Amino acid sequence: MSFESLLFHKTYLHPTSKEWVVFVHGAGGSSSIWFKQLKAYKAHFNLLLVDLRGHGKSNQLLRELIANRYTFKAVTLDILKVLDHLKIHSAHFVGMSLGTIIVRNIAELAHSRVKTMVLGGAVTRLDARSQFLVKLGNMCKHIVPYMWLYSLFAYIVMPQRAQKESRHLFIREAKKLCQKEFKRWFMLTSEVNPLMRYFKERELPIPTLYLMGDKDYMFIRPVKEMVAVHRQSQLREIEDCGHVCNVERPDEFNRYSIDFIQQHSL
């Protein structure tokens, strides 16, 4: 496989640590959303940041990846190819928003390669409100400019004044997507609930930390339900915080997640 067929990725090497942490952003974002994590994490681990297909600097990615419809499996395999290329056998994974589903799917497809999972602003189910938004988006996606839709979703998922920075960050990154790319990712939402029902029924023996803002009103309740039935999972709620907790409350996010990873490192 040629180097050009890989997702855009960036590594930060630690002088002594053998532990790798892989960061997976959500739909509409890019690896730039982790800018408040880099300094804290670089002090302890080797880091790998990827831009998912169609996002950030992977937005010109190869004709071979261009399809009418994406699947979570295909998007997940993109990341595993980067790990293979870099000869990273196993790592700790940190995901945000829709990226948490991709991290969980990496664990499903390549269980031995995932040491721990840190799932921030995790999407474990689309509730009735979310499903209504998705249906509305599906009805309008061919006639309404995608940035209108994305901005609407950003305001609904991140409505508070304190979430302004997160909202603007994601809207800015989403502007780098083309309309076709947005539609491909938007279509993935139809896979969320069936996939997450399967994941809820099938717990993997991988230590998992959910980091959720206590004001992440669309997604925190389903996470509590997931943690209640999974022995390997724990939930940390971050006070006065919304969906994108790594941006809104980076100090708490970094402290909780790094401590968790260190507890499960060699």
Side-chain angles (χ1 to χ4, degrees), residues 130-184:
S130 311
Q131 291 181 61
F132 172 76
L133 284 175
V134 168
K135 287 178 181 175
L136 180 66
N138 271 321
M139 287 164 52
C140 300
K141 68 179 185 288
H142 296 300
I143 52 175
V144 174
Y146 77 94
M147 279 312 303
W148 291 10
L149 279 176
Y150 196 88
S151 299
L152 173 64
F153 288 169
Y155 272 94
I156 290 171
V157 174
M158 300 172 265
Q160 287 106 3
R161 183 178 297 175
Q163 297 171 297
K164 182 177 179 181
E165 181 186 4
S166 308
R167 212 165 43 231
H168 286 182
L169 173 65
F170 271 79
I171 290 172
R172 187 186 74 217
E173 289 300 315
K175 286 178 180 175
K176 299 174 185 176
L177 293 176
C178 67
Q179 182 94 359
K180 284 184 178 179
E181 198 63 40
F182 175 82
K183 289 177 185 176
R184 291 185 186 110

Side-chain angles (χ1 to χ4, degrees), residues 42-229:
K42 281 195 297 185
H44 304 283
F45 313 111
N46 301 291
L47 310 185
L48 169 60
L49 282 70
V50 296
D51 283 348
L52 299 175
R53 59 168 71 183
H55 291 68
K57 293 184 179 178
S58 294
N59 64 356
Q60 299 300 321
L61 200 59
L62 329 189
R63 293 175 183 171
E64 69 190 69
L65 291 186
I66 299 302
N68 289 325
R69 189 182 180 99
Y70 288 168
T71 64
F72 276 112
K73 182 176 181 180
V75 172
T76 301
L77 290 175
D78 289 346
I79 297 173
L80 289 173
K81 286 178 183 177
V82 176
L83 294 182
D84 290 341
H85 173 75
L86 296 173
K87 296 181 171 58
I88 299 172
H89 176 68
S90 61
H92 306 272
F93 286 80
V94 180
M96 196 68 221
S97 194
L98 206 69
T100 62
I101 302 177
I102 297 170
V103 169
R104 176 58 180 79
N105 211 35
I106 291 170
E108 187 66 34
L109 298 178
H111 165 251
S112 65
R113 306 188 77 161
V114 182
K115 293 183 176 181
T116 64
M117 296 185 285
V118 175
L119 308 178
V123 179
T124 59
R125 191 183 72 228
L126 296 182
D127 62 12
R129 190 167 29 196
S130 311
Q131 291 181 61
F132 172 76
L133 284 175
V134 168
K135 287 178 181 175
L136 180 66
N138 271 321
M139 287 164 52
C140 300
K141 68 179 185 288
H142 296 300
I143 52 175
V144 174
Y146 77 94
M147 279 312 303
W148 291 10
L149 279 176
Y150 196 88
S151 299
L152 173 64
F153 288 169
Y155 272 94
I156 290 171
V157 174
M158 300 172 265
Q160 287 106 3
R161 183 178 297 175
Q163 297 171 297
K164 182 177 179 181
E165 181 186 4
S166 308
R167 212 165 43 231
H168 286 182
L169 173 65
F170 271 79
I171 290 172
R172 187 186 74 217
E173 289 300 315
K175 286 178 180 175
K176 299 174 185 176
L177 293 176
C178 67
Q179 182 94 359
K180 284 184 178 179
E181 198 63 40
F182 175 82
K183 289 177 185 176
R184 291 185 186 110
W185 278 90
F186 193 85
M187 293 295 284
L188 270 181
T189 55
S190 65
E191 286 190 44
V192 171
N193 279 0
L195 196 59
M196 296 316 297
R197 273 196 296 272
Y198 173 74
F199 289 163
K200 187 174 182 179
E201 292 169 3
R202 176 179 157 79
E203 181 182 12
L204 294 173
I206 297 171
T208 303
L209 173 64
Y210 289 91
L211 284 174
M212 304 292 291
D214 63 353
K215 291 183 168 53
D216 191 358
Y217 69 101
M218 287 187 79
F219 299 114
I220 193 166
R221 184 178 167 190
V223 166
K224 289 179 177 179
E225 294 171 1
M226 184 79 84
V227 171
V229 297

